Amino acid sequence: MRTVKKAQLLRLHFCESDQYNGKPLYEAIVDLCRELKIAGATVFRGLEGYGETAEIHRHRLIRKDQPIVVTIVDTPENLGRLIPEVEEMMDTGMIATSEVEYVRIEKPPAAGA
Amino acid sequence: MLQKGTAKKVTIFVNEDTQHHFGSLFDAILEFLLHKGVSGATATRAIAGFGAHQVMHTTKIEILTEHLPIRIEFIESAQKVDEIMPTLYDMVTDGVIEVQDTNVVKVANKEHPSPPKGPHTEMKGTARLMRIYMGESDKWMEEPLYEAVVKRLRLMEIAGATVYRGILGYGAKGHTHKSSWFSRDLPIMISVVDSEEKLAAAITEIESMMQDGIIVLSDVDVIRLVHSRPAAESSHANG
């Protein structure tokens, strides 16, 4: 049974070395998403990149400072609750949203395995 | 040039020692097919068999090893088969010619690539971006789901797919995807760009393979599309 629904995709760009209350920012954001009952969140680590400070983010021997992208898909209302809080937590970085359609796949575990 | 899709498969059974203009018939047939530009033909010698003469030919008994059956097979477009069939019919003085409809799934040729296929190149301007989210430990028929999905997309001639592995995440299943010393179940995202119709077909296929997950679609503008095969090479292949 396919249900195509409208939703929003939120992408947060920042770097791996960003911290929030002593833990990595991306962990803090994922925890926050759980608290706010956001449908899901996925953290990706980029290989290399640069942002507004024009500092190249890449993996160095001692300091890990690669770019991080967090992607979240949920309704505009839920993201509306999330975005102000995330903005508070991020020092530098970028928040991008786009309109998407989504298909949620959920089958009983036994079927066709 | 043989193309993907419907085609004809021709099988010819002859005797190894049937003569044709002072040479063996199967050699003559193969040479004729080569001369006519048939994409490929294979002759195989059987180990045993009998034909219209009702005499068993087998390699087991030396006296019967003469007249062993030879089977020549080739696949070509219906048009090409029609073109060469009259001559083949004339050549095979003793044997059987059989034609059947077939479906060519893949034509891969490293040295002479087939001309670029239409659907990829027609895509200009706007397209659809599909993101498929799943877990790294998800399986399909005992192989990693993301590998199975990429293979399937390739079979469907979707323009391209990229698999990303996340470092942390959670979804509707509720459990956190993260890497530990004992297990590894990181989030996986596959991103695919192609036309709306092709993605619609792909979604149906992927949905049947996935147990759990989410597919996200959005409209995107495509700025550049690189052909998988340069134009110069394909014209060379045609010539």
Side-chain angles (χ1 to χ4, degrees), chain A residues 31-71:
Chain A
D31 289 345
L32 172 72
C33 289
R34 272 185 184 281
E35 266 173 47
L36 292 178
K37 301 247 185 318
I38 300 291
T42 310
V43 184
F44 295 97
R45 180 191 285 132
L47 277 180
E48 196 173 321
Y50 74 95
E52 45 197 320
T53 54
E55 173 195 11
I56 297 272
H57 298 293
R58 64 155 72 105
H59 184 85
R60 293 190 179 84
L61 270 181
I62 304 179
R63 202 165 69 110
K64 269 191 179 176
D65 191 16
Q66 282 162 294
I68 292 283
V69 181
V70 185
T71 67

Side-chain angles (χ1 to χ4, degrees), chain B residues 153-168:
Chain B
L153 292 171
R154 182 145 207 201
L155 177 69
M156 297 184 76
E157 298 205 319
I158 299 291
T162 311
V163 181
Y164 296 90
R165 181 191 283 132
I167 55 171
L168 182 67

Side-chain angles (χ1 to χ4, degrees), chain B residues 41-82:
Chain B
T42 312
T44 33
R45 173 191 274 142
I47 54 162
F50 68 92
H53 307 294
Q54 299 293 319
V55 178
M56 180 67 82
H57 311 300
T58 172
T59 49
K60 281 184 205 154
I61 304 161
E62 209 169 322
I63 202 161
L64 296 177
T65 53
E66 288 175 358
H67 320 292
L68 271 176
I70 295 271
R71 174 192 168 114
I72 303 166
E73 260 181 329
F74 67 94
I75 300 169
E76 255 305 345
S77 62
Q79 191 194 345
K80 187 90 182 175
V81 170
D82 282 348

